[in-house]
Amino acid sequence: MHMPSPTSRPLEYRLNQVLDYIDGHLGQNLNLDCLAALAHLSRYHFLRRFQQWSAEAPHAYVRRRRLETGASQLLYSSDSIAAVAQNCGFDTADGFARAFRQYFGLSPSRWRDERRDMAAASSQGPVAGQNGPVRIVRLPTARVAYTRHFGPYDVDSAAQWSQLDTWCRQHGLPPSPRYGMGLDDPDITAPEKCRYDVCVEVPDGFVAPAGMPIKTIAGGAYAVLRFIGPRVLSKDAWHRLLRDGVLYGRYKAAARPCFERYEPDRLDACVEAQDCELCLPLEPQRDL
């Protein structure tokens, strides 16, 4: 089957691929030439088009993602500040601490202490809509097609799921698991900058048209909590999952996105009346 050439892909597709690459390589050198090559644009055109599209310069976007990811790692792992700094592409812990204080207004250690206290308090007591305990399971790797929305997670989600349904029917895809994937922590990232992907598993060898990206959801260990209830109540369930799955266990949250997983027989519950598994990717704590 004919594969579309990289330059035939829509610009939005290519720029979203750049964002995905940045998320997966925060600890590496992400200079302008590297990112422009990924988008198949000249350095000048990439700089101009990226800023028009995202309202951020590439270097500002990379710096923000490094700091916000560092904040998440401080909260959901026991890694030292020096280890978090290295993971997120800072040469020294001192350089990370200065940038972190400038961005968040607190030192990394104080931010970690205060946010952990807040997370522990918010996860106490019963969770409306929760059904069942937190389980540690191994999920298989999934190859998915997806669409992406920028903005608050509770805005336009119905239209996004409907768009995916239409696309699946047009391409004759059989019923298969679907995923709602938040790429940013809404407690850390500004709502208008949050990214949300709705995804559907596709068969091996399936070639999507030029406008529909394909990616892989990594398999491995996940903390999983089944959630049944309206979407507005899921935030408390996520807090419980993060506490029970990570803070006091053998694991830390892996540097990969969390997601909602919907079995094929629960697809009608993807939008408001949820019936899904909340899935948090895990890896062993470094000091264990």
Side-chain angles (χ1 to χ4, degrees):
M1 186 175 293
H2 175 68
M3 295 288 289
S5 68
T7 54
S8 72
R9 302 282 194 182
L11 179 63
E12 181 178 9
Y13 172 101
R14 288 182 275 155
L15 293 178
N16 272 313
Q17 295 293 97
V18 171
L19 301 192
D20 292 344
Y21 182 86
I22 290 170
D23 281 350
H25 299 81
L26 288 174
Q28 301 179 19
N29 183 13
L30 296 170
N31 60 49
L32 188 61
D33 290 330
C34 164
L35 301 182
L38 289 169
H40 301 279
L41 293 170
S42 71
R43 177 189 176 103
Y44 168 77
H45 283 97
F46 173 73
L47 179 62
R48 183 170 60 87
R49 300 303 293 272
F50 186 95
Q51 188 154 356
Q52 288 175 342
W53 177 69
S54 69
E56 291 181 275
H59 73 277
Y61 180 86
V62 169
R63 183 176 180 82
R64 176 172 68 80
R65 288 299 303 139
R66 283 175 165 157
L67 289 168
E68 291 177 351
T69 300
S72 182
Q73 291 184 12
L74 287 170
L75 181 56
Y76 301 123
S77 83
S78 63
D79 288 352
S80 68
I81 292 173
V84 171
Q86 183 178 30
N87 293 343
C88 296
F90 287 85
D91 294 332
T92 66
D94 286 345
F96 172 68
R98 286 194 298 271
F100 193 94
R101 183 186 291 274
Q102 183 181 33
Y103 190 79
F104 288 102
L106 295 171
S107 69
S109 58
R110 184 176 174 187
W111 193 95
R112 169 182 263 172
D113 291 343
E114 291 190 2
R115 286 300 180 108
R116 282 196 170 179
D117 288 344
M118 292 168 58
S122 67
S123 63
Q124 299 300 319
V127 177
Q130 179 182 340
N131 184 1
V134 173
R135 298 173 293 123
I136 306 299
V137 302
R138 297 196 68 84
L139 296 179
T141 298
R143 182 172 179 260
V144 300
Y146 66 98
T147 67
R148 177 166 295 169
H149 168 72
F150 288 81
Y153 287 158
D154 58 352
V155 175
D156 293 335
S157 59
Q160 196 178 4
W161 284 108
S162 177
Q163 178 186 1
L164 187 70
D165 287 340
T166 300
W167 184 86
C168 289
R169 289 194 299 270
Q170 289 173 344
H171 292 275
L173 292 176
S176 57
R178 300 191 187 182
Y179 304 81
M181 179 178 291
L183 303 180
D184 303 278
D185 186 335
D187 291 332
I188 296 173
T189 300
E192 68 275 9
K193 297 185 182 298
C194 286
R195 298 161 294 158
Y196 186 73
D197 291 353
V198 298
C199 318
V200 59
E201 285 192 28
V202 294
D204 292 339
F206 177 81
V207 178
M212 177 64 76
I214 299 286
K215 67 179 177 180
T216 298
I217 299 176
Y222 284 80
V224 175
L225 173 64
R226 186 170 180 186
F227 176 76
I228 302 174
R231 179 176 293 273
V232 294
L233 299 179
S234 64
K235 185 174 182 179
D236 288 344
W238 276 113
H239 285 159
R240 175 60 60 83
L241 175 61
L242 288 162
R243 190 198 71 174
D244 290 355
V246 176
L247 290 183
Y248 305 111
R250 298 178 55 244
Y251 296 94
K252 65 179 179 178
R256 303 194 305 275
C258 304
F259 52 82
E260 308 145 6
R261 185 177 187 274
Y262 298 88
E263 292 291 351
D265 60 351
R266 297 186 224 147
L267 297 184
D268 291 340
C270 290
V271 184
E272 297 301 334
Q274 291 183 294
D275 182 356
C276 63
E277 293 177 325
L278 308 183
C279 301
L280 171 71
L282 301 175
E283 58 182 302
Q285 291 280 12
R286 184 170 292 185
D287 56 353
L288 295 178

